[in-house]
Amino acid sequence: MTNQLITWYKKNKRDLPWRNTSDPYKIWVSEIILQQTQIKTGIKYYMKFIDKFPDIDSLAMARELEVLHTWQGLGYYNRALNMLNAAKTIKNNFSGIFPSSYNELITLKGVGIYTASAISSICQNEKKAVVDGNVYRVLSRFYNIATPINTNDGKKLFQKIANTLVHDSIPGIYNQAIMDFGAIHCKKNNPKCNTCPLKINCKALQLNLINYRPVKKPAKKIRTRYFNYLLIKFDGCIVIQQRDKNDIWKKLYELPLIESKEMIDKNHIITHNYLDKFKIYKIQTNGRKKHMLSHQKLVMSFWEIIVKEWPKKQIYKKIKLTEISNYPFPKPLKEYLNKEDKIH
Ligand code: SF4
């Protein structure tokens, strides 16, 4: 299987921007971006990120706000914050030289077994096997494995099998081969079994179980949350705040938020203690938006509140509407605010 995949890869590999480098910094950026991201979007963000932070020095020196801004729209913002943290660690503990050995890489924040294996095998030919969604699919079909991939047992089992397959002298090429093979040949839907170099030994194909592999344990129940965002306006300015709790969108900016257990009406908003300090001139609903995250459904209601003046004591962060683009906001809020920016 190993050699067949490598032969296939030599003819069919994808031309990706990070394929022409063995710079561990660039491989790391690509691997982190590609987690939970489609390849097309990943390429766009990779180019943007490398353009803004071409090396570990420039990233280590960056401000958190700049990094989040570059990441804006990609989701899972902890990835960006962990990268900044890791860049500073590399600057301080590794004399600014990006490590490429597995044992060093795994000590960095946000770098797990997958990323450390990918970088060390690609950049340093270390014999470490990667297991990502593509690898799970290929292995579960080829060996007809029904153990759910999102369980500890499943993870251990697939990693064990992957470790036996990784090539002795070109592990990085092998890892990229199996990932590309899963991405463009043994695809989730309509895998190209007719032209597959592995078809003679593919167990799931023989048993007609391709569409049932890999197996996943049902996901956790989706939780619905109700976010009421307050667009408090006066004199071309609005109030914003930074999310600081251990929750979604940590460190991104947002409008003042009232989270409720269910949908609430205007009276609830007006009487909420957040607005005690403001002299309200006018309040009106300004649309609703639903937004899905992996385990949460957000029902976002927007309330436009025009005030008569700003409170004397400035405990709020006030910005001009024209400054919105200087701050990283979660995608659905950004879309809403962009509309506001154009209107006013
Ligand atoms: S035969 Fe089909 S299911 Fe089996 S490895 Fe090839 S593409 Fe995947």
Side-chain angles (χ1 to χ4, degrees):
M1 181 180 189
T2 302
N3 289 331
Q4 283 167 307
L5 286 172
I6 290 170
T7 307
W8 174 90
Y9 180 68
K10 285 182 181 155
K11 283 194 212 131
N12 300 288
K13 72 172 172 179
R14 292 178 292 179
D15 183 19
L16 301 170
W18 48 88
R19 284 271 160 84
N20 308 317
T21 179
S22 55
D23 176 352
Y25 170 72
K26 290 186 175 146
I27 307 282
W28 171 62
V29 172
S30 73
E31 291 297 346
I32 303 288
I33 286 179
L34 285 180
Q35 291 164 17
Q36 330 266 2
T37 305
Q38 299 282 332
I39 192 86
K40 213 170 133 203
T41 313
I43 293 174
K44 203 176 92 196
Y45 274 89
Y46 170 81
M47 305 302 273
K48 192 172 153 195
F49 198 92
I50 292 294
D51 192 45
K52 180 94 182 149
F53 311 111
D55 48 36
I56 196 71
D57 269 0
S58 51
L59 181 59
M61 309 274 282
R63 284 179 303 127
E64 197 174 83
L65 197 68
E66 276 179 285
V67 179
L68 287 171
H69 212 260
T70 311
W71 204 265
Q72 184 172 259
L74 199 51
Y76 300 94
Y77 293 88
N78 259 342
R79 290 183 290 172
L81 298 173
N82 287 341
M83 282 176 91
L84 182 58
N85 184 301
K88 289 184 196 300
T89 305
I90 292 167
K91 185 97 182 131
N92 297 333
N93 303 355
F94 295 88
S95 315
I97 297 163
F98 204 102
S100 47
S101 78
Y102 181 92
N103 287 342
E104 286 172 326
L105 287 161
I106 202 83
T107 64
L108 300 173
K109 198 148 187 209
V111 172
I113 295 173
Y114 165 79
T115 311
S117 302
I119 302 172
S120 62
S121 66
I122 294 170
C123 302
Q124 195 169 280
N125 260 345
E126 212 174 315
K127 203 180 163 199
K128 294 283 178 190
V130 296
V131 181
D132 73 345
N134 292 314
V135 177
Y136 278 126
R137 187 162 55 255
V138 175
L139 298 183
S140 64
R141 285 173 172 171
F142 186 77
Y143 293 108
N144 188 33
I145 302 169
T147 312
I149 58 172
N150 53 345
T151 58
N152 282 340
D153 282 354
K155 284 178 191 150
K156 274 188 211 148
L157 176 65
F158 281 91
Q159 186 69 54
K160 205 169 144 192
I161 297 170
N163 291 348
T164 64
L165 293 169
V166 68
H167 198 280
D168 286 332
S169 52
I170 45 168
I173 301 284
Y174 163 76
N175 279 335
Q176 292 177 88
I178 190 165
M179 288 193 285
D180 266 21
F181 183 76
I184 61 178
H185 197 100
C186 189
K187 297 177 293 175
K188 184 173 178 217
N189 300 316
N190 304 319
K192 301 172 186 170
C193 301
N194 286 339
T195 57
C196 180
L198 308 179
K199 71 176 177 188
I200 295 175
N201 296 312
C202 178
K203 293 249 170 44
L205 180 69
Q206 288 158 12
L207 298 166
N208 206 12
L209 288 171
I210 290 165
N211 294 333
Y212 301 94
R213 300 289 176 265
V215 172
K216 258 191 176 178
K217 221 172 95 177
K220 274 196 279 172
K221 227 180 122 211
I222 303 262
R223 167 183 167 215
T224 303
R225 298 173 74 178
Y226 297 89
F227 282 11
N228 298 276
Y229 276 121
L230 313 180
L231 183 74
I232 304 173
K233 274 179 170 171
F234 177 67
D235 208 14
C237 293
I238 59 168
V239 178
I240 62 169
Q241 63 188 19
Q242 193 171 23
R243 288 181 69 83
D244 55 359
K245 299 217 173 69
N246 242 349
D247 193 358
I248 55 165
W249 302 335
K250 192 176 170 189
K251 300 280 179 151
L252 294 195
Y253 283 81
E254 64 179 356
L255 297 171
L257 169 68
I258 299 172
E259 184 169 357
S260 50
K261 291 208 167 68
E262 53 191 6
M263 216 95 88
I264 52 175
D265 62 14
K266 197 161 141 183
N267 282 338
H268 277 89
I269 300 290
I270 296 178
T271 51
H272 194 277
N273 57 12
Y274 184 86
L275 288 171
D276 281 355
K277 297 265 183 311
F278 293 95
K279 287 187 185 143
I280 298 172
Y281 170 68
K282 194 174 156 196
I283 174 164
Q284 62 183 20
T285 165
N286 203 352
R288 188 167 292 141
K289 204 176 176 74
K290 288 190 181 137
H291 187 72
M292 290 305 295
L293 297 169
S294 52
H295 296 110
Q296 297 184 29
K297 176 181 164 186
L298 306 181
V299 180
M300 304 164 77
S301 303
F302 298 98
W303 298 90
E304 184 180 19
I305 299 164
I306 301 175
V307 296
K308 290 181 183 161
E309 58 185 14
W310 290 117
K312 296 269 175 302
K313 227 173 155 194
Q314 281 291 335
I315 46 165
Y316 308 95
K317 184 170 176 63
K318 202 176 72 177
I319 62 162
K320 291 196 180 108
L321 274 164
T322 49
E323 291 171 338
I324 286 171
S325 61
N326 298 346
Y327 294 85
F329 288 92
K331 204 172 169 196
L333 256 177
K334 180 83 189 161
E335 285 165 1
Y336 168 73
L337 287 170
N338 278 347
K339 254 196 278 163
E340 270 302 309
D341 194 20
K342 277 183 206 112
I343 295 166
H344 299 272

